[in-house]
């Protein structure tokens, strides 16, 4: 089974400052990793994903994340945040398969609060 | 708009009533998922369809819950005899399978806006 830990439930930051949202995962098999963003009363939007290859992945809205297999981490970063980045961010994992069913296992989320 | 749609967006009901939610996936996607998200938590998997077949069900899906996808297109999720603990956001997602060059496969899930259920 897979599990995801997001240790920070809330991260306050000032506009134009850098931010890192932490994600650690646990799995006995190889996985794919994702970050989703959720704005109030909306569904989830995919920010970026790690499938294979380069451990540094770039996503939408200037976000990037780095996969670290030895530390089982997939931290999300942005060099300069905007007010509009205020939202809930979820890290998720799914097992790597040749075929068949893949469900997403989510962390509990990190609320990013950007203030002027 | 060709994204995943869900109806209704909000539902308020009294304890003991039955409710039904609908999900319309992206048309070319043959895989459909339901998740439940309670306040302050991440989404949790409920059930999965491939075409019209319900292939996976979570232990979270008690016998009061039933899901269908009769023609492999839209899906419904019904909750009978609702309880206050059923209050949550119910999210639907759809995907299709992509084969990667490594030989493994991948399903990118596209989420709908969700149905927020409040049980009084």
């Amino acid at each position: 089974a897979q599990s995801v830990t997001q240790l920070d439930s809330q991260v306050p930051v000032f506009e134009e400052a850098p931010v890192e949202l932490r994600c650690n995962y646990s799995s006995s098999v190889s996985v794919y990793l994702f970050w989703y963003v959720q704005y109030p009363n909306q569904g989830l939007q995919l920010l970026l994903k790690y499938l294979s290859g380069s451990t540094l992945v770039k996503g939408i809205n200037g976000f990037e994340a780095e996969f670290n297999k030895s530390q089982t981490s997939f931290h999300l970063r942005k060099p300069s945040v905007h007010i509009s980045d205020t939202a809930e961010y979820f890290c998720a994992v799914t097992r790597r398969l040749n075929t068949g069913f893949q469900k997403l296992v989510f962390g509990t989320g990190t609320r990013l609060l950007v203030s002027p | 708009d060709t994204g995943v749609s869900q109806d209704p967006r909000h539902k308020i009901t009294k304890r003991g009533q039955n409710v039904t939610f609908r999900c319309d996936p992206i048309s070319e996607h043959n895989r459909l998922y339901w998740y439940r998200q309670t306040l302050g938590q991440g989404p949790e998997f409920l059930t999965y369809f491939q075409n019209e077949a319900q292939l996976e069900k979570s232990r979270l899906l008690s016998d009061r819950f039933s899901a269908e996808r009769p023609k492999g297109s839209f899906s419904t999720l019904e909750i009978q005899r609702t309880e206050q603990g059923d209050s949550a956001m119910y999210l639907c997602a759809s995907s299709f399978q992509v084969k990667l060059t490594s030989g493994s496969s991948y399903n990118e899930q596209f989420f709908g806006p969700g149905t927020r259920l409040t049980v009084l």
Side-chain angles (χ1 to χ4, degrees):
Chain A
Q2 294 77 48
S3 67
V4 175
T5 301
Q6 292 181 250
L7 288 173
D8 304 307
S9 60
Q10 188 165 292
V11 172
V13 64
F14 288 109
E15 193 174 19
E16 297 183 7
V19 71
E20 179 179 83
L21 306 183
R22 297 182 293 168
C23 171
N24 288 87
Y25 71 94
S26 173
S27 177
S28 56
V29 299
S30 297
V31 295
Y32 299 134
L33 293 153
F34 307 85
W35 275 98
Y36 283 86
V37 61
Q38 186 176 38
Y39 299 101
N41 296 315
Q42 294 188 26
L44 301 168
Q45 180 183 8
L46 181 66
L47 276 178
L48 48 78
K49 58 184 180 278
Y50 173 76
L51 303 181
S52 65
S54 172
T55 56
L56 183 64
V57 292
K58 293 189 183 298
I60 62 171
N61 301 342
F63 284 94
E64 63 181 32
E66 185 153 23
F67 170 58
N68 187 317
K69 188 174 181 179
S70 63
Q71 296 188 4
T72 60
S73 68
F74 190 55
H75 300 332
L76 180 71
R77 296 191 291 257
K78 186 169 183 178
S80 175
V81 296
H82 303 289
I83 296 284
S84 59
D85 292 322
T86 294
E88 192 86 21
Y89 291 79
F90 292 96
C91 181
V93 63
T94 190
R95 55 184 180 169
R96 185 191 297 245
L97 291 176
N98 290 330
T99 186
F101 163 64
Q102 294 170 318
K103 70 176 182 183
L104 287 168
V105 176
F106 289 88
T108 51
T110 297
R111 180 150 189 80
L112 177 63
L113 289 167
V114 183
S115 53
Chain B
D1 186 281
T2 57
V4 179
S5 61
Q6 292 187 247
D7 184 69
R9 295 290 309 276
H10 303 274
K11 178 70 176 180
I12 300 174
T13 191
K14 293 182 179 179
R15 189 178 50 167
Q17 297 295 304
N18 299 344
V19 294
T20 301
F21 310 140
R22 178 181 169 122
C23 170
D24 286 90
I26 294 171
S27 58
E28 59 266 30
H29 289 181
N30 64 342
R31 296 169 186 233
L32 187 146
Y33 311 76
W34 285 97
Y35 291 83
R36 180 172 70 185
Q37 184 180 18
T38 53
L39 204 60
Q41 300 296 316
E44 296 175 289
F45 168 76
L46 290 178
T47 191
Y48 160 70
F49 289 85
Q50 186 169 328
N51 300 310
E52 66 276 8
Q54 187 176 19
L55 298 182
E56 291 285 339
K57 289 196 290 186
S58 161
R59 281 174 289 181
L60 291 175
L61 212 66
S62 76
D63 55 6
R64 295 185 299 105
F65 287 69
S66 62
E68 293 182 342
R69 195 182 183 198
K71 297 182 180 179
S73 57
F74 73 92
S75 176
T76 58
L77 177 68
E78 180 183 16
I79 309 174
Q80 295 182 328
R81 305 180 305 281
T82 52
E83 302 173 355
Q84 288 184 326
D86 297 330
S87 295
M89 174 81 90
Y90 290 84
L91 295 164
C92 176
S94 69
S95 74
F96 65 93
Q97 189 176 51
V98 176
K99 275 286 188 184
L100 303 176
T101 54
S102 62
S104 55
S105 68
Y106 159 61
N107 292 282
E108 181 167 324
Q109 295 182 32
F110 294 80
F111 284 82
T115 294
R116 181 168 295 284
L117 173 65
T118 302
V119 182
L120 302 176

